[in-house]
Amino acid sequence: MYQGKNFSERARIFVNLLLPVLVYQVISYSSGMIGTFMAGHYSPTDLAGVSMGVNIWNPIMYTLNAIVLALIPIVSQLIGKNKEEDIPTIVRQFLYIAVIISIILVVGLNTLATPIVDRLGMDSSIAEITKKYLFYESFGVLSIFLYVVLRSFIDSLGLTRLSMIMMVVSVPINVFLAYSFIFGKFGMPELGGAGNAIAISVTYTVLFFIALFIVLINPKINKYKIFEKEKIRFEKWGEIFKLGIPIAIATALETVVFSTLSLMVSRFDTTVIASHQAALNFSGFLYTLPVSVANTATIIIAFHVGAKDYKMATEYTKLTVIMGMIFSSIAGLIVLLFDTKIPYLYTSDSGVITLTAELLLFAIGFAICDSFASALAGVLRGYKKVVPICVVMFIGYYLVGIPTAYYFVFKQGIGIEGLWIGWIIGLAVYALGVLFYYLYMRRGIKKKIKLAK
């Protein structure tokens, strides 16, 4: 499994696993982008309101989701160690954790969302849309978490093509529901931009049932019998949280900094907020390229680390970095070629279109730094070295990125462009930190390779 005698064979194995992951990520994000497009065409105010809702929702959701995503390296390493008999128990414990997290999040959203939004001091019409968006998102929380556990389990077995198929099936459902609830079509209430949150909630509920069906009928998956009765085993939670919490912290550091920087914009006018959200949303689309490489690297490298084949893990690390560089070039080329066309996907407002096109140019630097950093972060997760990711990310984003952005925006008066410059500087520091740590760790890896000979 994941072997390769030479570079070309390893590249073929990597790409075969990567392509379904990439398609999944691109379609998943594109599906959400379509809802954002629709909100923007409904009105710039709705685009701004949805953007604020996303900036509050994403850090919470992605952070908690990251805990259950720890399932991938744990299961991949168990397979590499030939300890597949331990897999069912681990998956069941992840399902229990997903349910508990979902309950806490639903209660939190329905009690804290309104006071949080009120304290941001944004325009009342934008704030109202944001509150509705967060309320509607709470409908699908349980389905989202259970689906992520099942999908992560499927991916950890190397069956990434199944995840891709599930996402392809979900796209028309999400698009239909988003159009229906935003514009009030096909008998649905007209909810404006906030209606996209209902579409997302219903779509993930459908995805959960599809994933459940696959897990129950696919012979490569149902042999693990993960739905047999088993009590909560807290002794297993130690390993889960030992890996899951640092991954969650790293995710929180990443998503919170994006949201913090975006919330700095909340006091600007609607045109600036909408333009920033449009540029940020498309940058997020470009981010699906390196994150796909990172997720693929985690699966393959975790397997080889579990099998103590550190030489092969090193070879796949080189391949991961190469793929990350290729994808950063692709992302930059997309922006250069379509910079003036992309804004029309989000709005027909001339002011928003002009400013969005300017901000998109910063996405090139964003893509280059992020591609490199994400690729190596995926490698480190495969080694279960997640704490160093948190440390260098904190330094890059919070000690460098946010202060620099604040200085440029509020002290130098550069405006929204200053925020993106500070953002890129912080991301560059993070990328260098990940590189330096891997080079430091590589000395120990070389020793293990020599001992294995």
Side-chain angles (χ1 to χ4, degrees):
M1 191 174 183
Y2 310 135
Q3 299 297 326
K5 297 179 180 179
N6 51 50
F7 180 84
S8 61
E9 285 189 12
R10 289 190 291 273
R12 178 179 54 79
I13 292 169
F14 193 96
V15 171
N16 285 342
L17 189 63
L18 167 66
L19 286 178
V21 176
L22 176 61
V23 172
Y24 176 93
Q25 291 290 341
V26 170
I27 292 178
S28 176
Y29 196 86
S30 298
S31 184
M33 284 178 68
I34 292 172
T36 305
F37 297 161
M38 293 180 186
H41 284 284
Y42 189 85
S43 79
T45 302
D46 279 75
L47 176 58
V50 169
S51 75
M52 292 298 105
V54 168
N55 288 324
I56 295 171
W57 167 255
N58 280 356
I60 300 170
M61 191 63 191
Y62 288 159
T63 298
L64 295 176
N65 248 332
I67 295 176
V68 297
L69 284 173
L71 176 67
I72 294 177
I74 290 176
V75 171
S76 293
Q77 285 204 10
L78 286 173
I79 295 172
K81 294 176 182 177
N82 290 318
K83 292 185 177 181
E84 293 187 64
E85 67 276 6
D86 294 338
I87 291 176
T89 294
I90 288 294
V91 177
R92 291 172 197 139
Q93 301 310 306
F94 270 97
L95 289 169
Y96 291 140
I97 291 170
V99 172
I100 293 171
I101 292 175
S102 298
I103 293 171
I104 294 172
L105 182 53
V106 170
V107 173
L109 275 175
N110 285 281
T111 56
L112 300 176
T114 295
I116 288 173
V117 173
D118 287 339
R119 290 180 66 86
L120 293 176
M122 64 181 77
D123 181 85
S124 59
S125 58
I126 295 175
E128 188 61 30
I129 295 169
T130 300
K131 293 174 186 177
K132 289 180 179 178
Y133 181 91
L134 294 172
F135 174 67
Y136 295 146
E137 281 282 14
S138 69
F139 295 173
V141 167
L142 179 60
S143 295
I144 291 172
F145 275 94
L146 292 176
Y147 164 71
V148 170
V149 172
L150 296 182
R151 195 208 87 210
S152 298
F153 175 45
I154 292 169
D155 285 351
S156 67
L157 300 177
L159 304 174
T160 53
R161 192 177 300 275
L162 292 176
S163 294
M164 177 190 71
I165 293 171
M166 285 191 288
M167 188 51 61
V168 170
V169 171
S170 74
V171 170
I173 298 172
N174 185 64
V175 171
F176 171 77
L177 291 172
Y179 179 71
S180 299
F181 283 110
I182 291 174
F183 295 100
K185 303 297 182 179
F186 307 105
M188 303 297 181
E190 184 176 344
L191 302 175
N196 189 45
I198 291 185
I200 292 171
S201 295
V202 176
T203 300
Y204 271 100
T205 300
V206 173
L207 275 171
F208 164 67
F209 283 108
I210 294 174
L212 179 62
F213 177 73
I214 289 173
V215 169
L216 290 173
I217 68 164
N218 189 293
K220 293 181 180 179
I221 306 173
N222 64 18
K223 67 179 182 179
Y224 293 100
K225 303 185 185 302
I226 64 171
F227 293 114
E228 287 189 354
K229 289 184 179 179
E230 183 175 14
K231 65 180 181 180
I232 292 178
R233 297 179 60 179
F234 290 109
E235 70 273 14
K236 296 291 184 182
W237 288 27
E239 179 189 2
I240 292 171
F241 286 119
K242 183 179 179 181
L243 182 62
I245 289 179
I247 293 177
I249 292 173
T251 304
L253 290 172
E254 186 168 30
T255 55
V256 168
V257 74
F258 292 160
S259 294
T260 300
L261 291 170
S262 294
L263 291 173
M264 284 186 188
V265 189
S266 64
R267 297 182 183 276
F268 286 85
D269 61 37
T270 300
T271 297
V272 174
I273 295 175
S275 300
H276 170 77
Q277 175 57 25
L280 177 62
N281 187 261
F282 193 80
S283 296
F285 168 73
L286 297 178
Y287 180 62
T288 62
L289 303 179
V291 82
S292 300
V293 174
N295 291 346
T296 303
T298 298
I299 295 170
I300 295 178
I301 289 173
F303 170 82
H304 287 297
V305 171
K308 299 187 183 302
D309 189 349
Y310 298 104
K311 182 178 180 181
M312 192 61 69
T314 300
E315 293 300 323
Y316 274 107
T317 297
K318 297 175 184 176
L319 189 57
T320 298
V321 173
I322 292 171
M323 292 301 298
M325 293 171 64
I326 291 173
F327 276 33
S328 68
S329 300
I330 293 173
L333 187 60
I334 289 172
V335 174
L336 285 175
L337 292 177
F338 303 105
D339 174 53
T340 59
K341 305 293 188 301
I342 294 168
Y344 287 94
L345 296 172
Y346 293 91
T347 184
S348 55
D349 184 281
S350 59
V352 175
I353 289 171
T354 301
L355 183 54
T356 300
E358 293 176 9
L359 295 179
L360 279 171
L361 294 176
F362 291 104
I364 299 174
F366 180 90
I368 293 171
C369 295
D370 218 6
S371 292
F372 190 76
S374 296
L376 281 178
V379 170
L380 294 179
R381 284 196 297 271
Y383 282 95
K384 293 186 178 179
K385 300 292 184 180
V386 289
V387 173
I389 298 175
C390 297
V391 174
V392 296
M393 188 178 288
F394 179 80
I395 294 171
Y397 287 169
Y398 292 85
L399 299 186
V400 178
I402 290 179
T404 303
Y406 184 88
Y407 176 76
F408 284 152
V409 174
F410 295 107
K411 299 299 182 180
Q412 293 297 312
I414 295 177
I416 188 64
E417 292 85 357
L419 182 144
W420 281 75
I421 294 170
W423 200 337
I424 292 170
I425 292 172
L427 187 54
V429 172
Y430 164 52
L432 289 173
V434 174
L435 172 61
F436 290 149
Y437 179 79
Y438 176 75
L439 293 176
Y440 166 78
M441 187 180 75
R442 190 178 177 186
R443 291 183 295 178
I445 297 173
K446 287 181 177 179
K447 291 180 181 178
K448 291 179 180 180
I449 293 173
K450 288 181 180 179
L451 290 173
K453 290 182 179 180

Coordinates of all heavy atoms in Angstrom, one line a residue, residues 2-15 293 296-297 300-302 304-305 308-324 375-376 379 383 438 441-442 445-446 449 453:
Y2 N 0.7 2.1 -1.0 CA 1.4 3.4 -1.1 C 2.9 3.1 -1.3 O 3.8 4.0 -0.9 CB 1.2 4.3 0.1 CG -0.2 4.5 0.5 CD1 -0.6 4.5 1.8 CD2 -1.2 4.8 -0.5 CE1 -1.9 4.6 2.2 CE2 -2.5 5.0 -0.1 CZ -2.9 4.9 1.2 OH -4.2 5.1 1.6
Q3 N 3.3 2.0 -1.9 CA 4.7 1.8 -2.2 C 5.0 2.4 -3.6 O 4.2 2.7 -4.3 CB 5.0 0.3 -2.2 CG 4.8 -0.4 -0.9 CD 5.6 0.1 0.3 OE1 6.8 0.5 0.0 NE2 5.1 0.1 1.5
G4 N 6.3 2.4 -3.9 CA 6.8 3.0 -5.2 C 8.3 2.8 -5.3 O 9.0 3.3 -4.5
K5 N 8.7 2.1 -6.3 CA 10.1 1.8 -6.5 C 10.9 3.0 -7.0 O 12.1 3.0 -6.7 CB 10.2 0.6 -7.5 CG 9.6 -0.7 -7.0 CD 9.8 -1.8 -8.1 CE 9.1 -3.1 -7.6 NZ 9.3 -4.1 -8.7
N6 N 10.3 3.9 -7.7 CA 11.0 5.1 -8.2 C 10.1 6.3 -8.1 O 8.9 6.2 -7.7 CB 11.5 4.8 -9.6 CG 10.4 4.3 -10.5 OD1 9.3 4.9 -10.6 ND2 10.6 3.2 -11.2
F7 N 10.6 7.4 -8.5 CA 9.9 8.7 -8.4 C 8.6 8.6 -9.2 O 7.5 9.1 -8.8 CB 10.8 9.8 -8.9 CG 10.1 11.2 -8.8 CD1 10.1 11.9 -7.6 CD2 9.4 11.7 -9.9 CE1 9.4 13.1 -7.6 CE2 8.8 12.9 -9.9 CZ 8.8 13.6 -8.7
S8 N 8.6 8.1 -10.4 CA 7.4 8.1 -11.3 C 6.3 7.3 -10.7 O 5.1 7.6 -10.8 CB 7.8 7.6 -12.7 OG 8.3 6.3 -12.7
E9 N 6.7 6.1 -10.1 CA 5.7 5.3 -9.5 C 5.1 5.9 -8.3 O 3.8 5.9 -8.0 CB 6.3 3.9 -9.1 CG 6.5 3.0 -10.2 CD 6.9 1.6 -9.8 OE1 6.7 1.3 -8.5 OE2 7.4 0.8 -10.6
R10 N 5.9 6.6 -7.5 CA 5.4 7.3 -6.3 C 4.5 8.5 -6.7 O 3.5 8.7 -6.1 CB 6.6 7.8 -5.4 CG 7.3 6.6 -4.7 CD 8.3 7.2 -3.7 NE 9.4 7.9 -4.3 CZ 10.5 7.2 -4.7 NH1 10.6 5.9 -4.5 NH2 11.5 7.9 -5.2
A11 N 4.9 9.1 -7.8 CA 4.1 10.3 -8.3 C 2.7 9.8 -8.7 O 1.7 10.4 -8.5 CB 4.8 11.0 -9.4
R12 N 2.7 8.6 -9.4 CA 1.4 8.1 -9.9 C 0.6 7.7 -8.7 O -0.7 8.0 -8.7 CB 1.7 6.8 -10.7 CG 0.4 6.1 -11.2 CD 0.8 4.9 -12.1 NE 1.7 4.0 -11.4 CZ 1.3 3.1 -10.5 NH1 0.0 3.1 -10.1 NH2 2.2 2.3 -9.9
I13 N 1.1 7.1 -7.7 CA 0.4 6.7 -6.5 C -0.2 8.0 -5.8 O -1.4 8.0 -5.4 CB 1.3 5.9 -5.5 CG1 1.6 4.5 -6.1 CG2 0.6 5.7 -4.1 CD1 2.7 3.8 -5.3
F14 N 0.7 9.0 -5.6 CA 0.3 10.2 -5.0 C -0.8 10.9 -5.7 O -1.8 11.3 -5.1 CB 1.5 11.1 -4.9 CG 1.3 12.3 -3.9 CD1 1.7 12.2 -2.6 CD2 0.7 13.5 -4.4 CE1 1.6 13.3 -1.8 CE2 0.5 14.5 -3.5 CZ 0.9 14.5 -2.2
V15 N -0.7 11.0 -7.0 CA -1.7 11.7 -7.9 C -3.0 10.9 -7.9 O -4.1 11.5 -7.8 CB -1.2 11.9 -9.3 CG1 -2.3 12.4 -10.2 CG2 0.0 12.9 -9.3
V293 N -3.3 18.7 -1.4 CA -2.0 18.1 -1.3 C -1.6 17.7 0.1 O -1.1 16.6 0.4 CB -0.9 19.1 -1.9 CG1 0.5 18.5 -1.7 CG2 -1.2 19.3 -3.3
T296 N -3.6 14.6 1.3 CA -3.1 13.4 0.7 C -1.8 13.0 1.4 O -1.5 11.8 1.6 CB -2.9 13.6 -0.8 OG1 -4.1 14.1 -1.4 CG2 -2.4 12.4 -1.5
A297 N -0.9 14.0 1.6 CA 0.4 13.7 2.3 C 0.2 13.1 3.6 O 0.9 12.1 4.0 CB 1.2 15.0 2.4
I300 N -0.7 9.3 3.3 CA 0.4 8.4 2.8 C 1.5 8.4 3.8 O 2.0 7.3 4.2 CB 0.9 8.9 1.5 CG1 -0.2 8.7 0.4 CG2 2.2 8.1 1.1 CD1 0.2 9.2 -1.0
I301 N 1.9 9.5 4.4 CA 3.0 9.6 5.3 C 2.7 8.9 6.6 O 3.5 8.2 7.2 CB 3.5 11.0 5.4 CG1 4.2 11.4 4.1 CG2 4.5 11.1 6.6 CD1 4.6 12.9 4.1
A302 N 1.5 9.1 7.1 CA 1.1 8.4 8.3 C 1.2 6.9 8.2 O 1.6 6.2 9.1 CB -0.3 8.8 8.7
H304 N 3.3 5.2 6.2 CA 4.7 4.8 6.2 C 5.3 5.0 7.6 O 6.2 4.2 8.0 CB 5.4 5.5 5.1 CG 5.1 5.0 3.7 ND1 5.4 3.8 3.3 CD2 4.5 5.7 2.7 CE1 5.0 3.6 2.1 NE2 4.4 4.8 1.7
V305 N 4.9 6.0 8.3 CA 5.5 6.2 9.6 C 5.0 5.1 10.6 O 5.7 4.6 11.4 CB 5.0 7.6 10.2 CG1 5.4 7.7 11.7 CG2 5.7 8.7 9.4
K308 N 7.0 2.3 10.1 CA 8.4 2.6 10.3 C 9.3 2.6 9.1 O 10.5 2.3 9.1 CB 9.0 1.6 11.4 CG 8.3 1.7 12.7 CD 9.0 0.9 13.8 CE 8.2 0.9 15.1 NZ 8.0 2.2 15.6
D309 N 8.7 2.9 8.0 CA 9.4 3.0 6.7 C 9.7 4.5 6.5 O 9.0 5.2 5.7 CB 8.6 2.4 5.5 CG 9.4 2.3 4.2 OD1 10.5 2.9 4.2 OD2 8.9 1.7 3.3
Y310 N 10.7 5.0 7.2 CA 10.9 6.5 7.2 C 11.6 6.9 5.9 O 11.4 8.1 5.5 CB 11.8 6.8 8.4 CG 11.2 6.5 9.7 CD1 11.6 5.4 10.5 CD2 10.2 7.4 10.2 CE1 10.9 5.2 11.7 CE2 9.6 7.1 11.4 CZ 9.9 6.0 12.1 OH 9.3 5.7 13.3
K311 N 12.3 6.0 5.2 CA 12.8 6.4 3.9 C 11.7 6.7 2.9 O 11.8 7.7 2.2 CB 13.7 5.2 3.4 CG 14.4 5.6 2.1 CD 15.3 4.4 1.6 CE 16.0 4.8 0.3 NZ 16.8 3.7 -0.2
M312 N 10.7 5.8 2.9 CA 9.6 6.1 1.9 C 8.8 7.3 2.3 O 8.4 8.1 1.5 CB 8.7 4.9 1.9 CG 7.7 4.9 0.8 SD 8.4 4.9 -0.9 CE 9.1 3.2 -0.9
A313 N 8.7 7.6 3.6 CA 8.0 8.8 4.1 C 8.8 10.0 3.6 O 8.2 11.0 3.2 CB 7.9 8.8 5.6
T314 N 10.1 9.9 3.7 CA 10.9 11.1 3.2 C 10.7 11.3 1.7 O 10.7 12.5 1.2 CB 12.4 10.8 3.5 OG1 12.6 10.7 4.9 CG2 13.3 12.0 3.0
E315 N 10.7 10.2 0.9 CA 10.5 10.4 -0.5 C 9.2 11.0 -0.8 O 9.0 11.9 -1.7 CB 10.6 9.0 -1.2 CG 12.0 8.3 -1.1 CD 13.0 9.2 -1.8 OE1 12.7 9.8 -2.8 OE2 14.2 9.2 -1.3
Y316 N 8.1 10.6 -0.1 CA 6.8 11.2 -0.3 C 6.8 12.7 0.2 O 6.0 13.5 -0.4 CB 5.7 10.4 0.3 CG 5.2 9.3 -0.5 CD1 5.6 7.9 -0.3 CD2 4.5 9.5 -1.7 CE1 5.1 6.9 -1.1 CE2 4.0 8.5 -2.5 CZ 4.4 7.2 -2.2 OH 3.9 6.2 -3.0
T317 N 7.6 13.0 1.1 CA 7.7 14.4 1.6 C 8.2 15.3 0.4 O 7.7 16.4 0.2 CB 8.6 14.6 2.8 OG1 8.0 13.8 3.9 CG2 8.8 16.0 3.2
K318 N 9.3 14.8 -0.2 CA 9.8 15.6 -1.4 C 8.7 15.8 -2.4 O 8.6 16.9 -3.0 CB 11.0 14.8 -2.0 CG 12.2 14.7 -1.0 CD 13.3 13.8 -1.7 CE 14.4 13.6 -0.7 NZ 15.4 12.6 -1.3
L319 N 8.0 14.7 -2.7 CA 6.9 14.8 -3.7 C 5.8 15.8 -3.3 O 5.3 16.5 -4.1 CB 6.3 13.4 -3.9 CG 5.4 13.2 -5.1 CD1 6.0 13.6 -6.4 CD2 4.9 11.7 -5.1
T320 N 5.5 15.8 -2.0 CA 4.5 16.7 -1.5 C 4.9 18.1 -1.7 O 4.1 19.0 -2.2 CB 4.3 16.4 0.0 OG1 3.8 15.1 0.2 CG2 3.3 17.4 0.6
V321 N 6.2 18.5 -1.4 CA 6.6 19.8 -1.6 C 6.6 20.2 -3.1 O 6.2 21.4 -3.5 CB 8.1 20.0 -1.1 CG1 8.6 21.4 -1.4 CG2 8.1 19.8 0.4
I322 N 7.0 19.3 -4.0 CA 6.9 19.6 -5.4 C 5.5 19.9 -5.9 O 5.2 20.8 -6.6 CB 7.5 18.4 -6.2 CG1 9.0 18.3 -6.0 CG2 7.3 18.6 -7.7 CD1 9.7 17.1 -6.5
M323 N 4.6 19.0 -5.4 CA 3.2 19.2 -5.8 C 2.6 20.5 -5.2 O 1.9 21.2 -5.9 CB 2.3 18.1 -5.2 CG 2.6 16.7 -5.9 SD 2.3 16.7 -7.7 CE 0.6 17.1 -7.8
G324 N 3.0 20.9 -4.0 CA 2.6 22.2 -3.5 C 3.1 23.4 -4.3 O 2.3 24.3 -4.5
A375 N 1.6 22.3 2.5 CA 2.2 21.0 2.1 C 3.0 20.4 3.3 O 2.9 19.2 3.6 CB 3.1 21.2 0.9
L376 N 3.9 21.2 3.9 CA 4.7 20.7 5.0 C 3.9 20.4 6.2 O 4.2 19.5 7.0 CB 5.9 21.7 5.3 CG 7.0 21.6 4.3 CD1 8.1 22.7 4.6 CD2 7.7 20.2 4.2
V379 N 2.6 17.0 6.0 CA 3.6 16.1 6.2 C 3.8 15.9 7.7 O 3.9 14.8 8.3 CB 5.0 16.5 5.6 CG1 6.1 15.6 6.1 CG2 4.9 16.5 4.1
Y383 N 3.3 12.6 10.7 CA 4.3 12.2 11.8 C 3.7 12.4 13.1 O 4.3 12.1 14.2 CB 5.6 13.0 11.7 CG 6.5 12.5 10.6 CD1 6.6 13.1 9.3 CD2 7.4 11.5 10.9 CE1 7.5 12.7 8.4 CE2 8.3 11.0 9.9 CZ 8.3 11.6 8.6 OH 9.2 11.2 7.7
Y438 N 10.8 21.3 10.0 CA 11.0 20.0 9.3 C 12.4 19.7 9.1 O 12.8 18.6 9.3 CB 10.2 20.0 8.0 CG 10.5 18.8 7.2 CD1 9.8 17.6 7.6 CD2 11.4 18.7 6.2 CE1 10.1 16.4 6.9 CE2 11.7 17.5 5.5 CZ 11.0 16.4 5.9 OH 11.3 15.2 5.3
M441 N 13.7 18.4 12.3 CA 13.2 17.1 12.5 C 13.9 16.0 11.6 O 14.0 14.9 12.0 CB 11.7 17.0 12.3 CG 11.0 15.7 12.7 SD 9.2 15.8 12.4 CE 9.2 15.6 10.6
R442 N 14.3 16.5 10.4 CA 14.8 15.6 9.4 C 16.1 14.9 9.9 O 16.4 13.8 9.5 CB 15.1 16.3 8.1 CG 15.4 15.5 6.9 CD 15.6 16.3 5.7 NE 16.0 15.4 4.6 CZ 16.3 15.9 3.4 NH1 16.3 17.2 3.2 NH2 16.7 15.1 2.4
I445 N 15.1 11.9 11.6 CA 14.6 10.9 10.6 C 15.7 10.2 9.9 O 15.7 9.0 9.7 CB 13.7 11.6 9.5 CG1 12.5 12.2 10.2 CG2 13.3 10.7 8.4 CD1 11.6 13.1 9.3
K446 N 16.8 10.9 9.5 CA 18.0 10.3 8.9 C 18.6 9.2 9.8 O 19.0 8.2 9.3 CB 19.0 11.4 8.5 CG 18.6 12.3 7.3 CD 19.7 13.3 7.0 CE 19.3 14.1 5.8 NZ 20.3 15.1 5.5
I449 N 16.5 6.1 9.6 CA 16.7 5.5 8.3 C 18.0 4.6 8.3 O 18.1 3.5 7.9 CB 16.8 6.5 7.1 CG1 15.4 7.1 7.0 CG2 17.1 5.8 5.8 CD1 15.3 8.3 6.0
K453 N 18.7 0.2 8.2 CA 19.5 -0.5 7.2 C 20.2 -1.7 7.7 O 20.6 -1.7 8.9 CB 20.5 0.5 6.5 CG 19.8 1.5 5.7 CD 20.9 2.4 5.1 CE 20.2 3.5 4.2 NZ 21.3 4.4 3.5

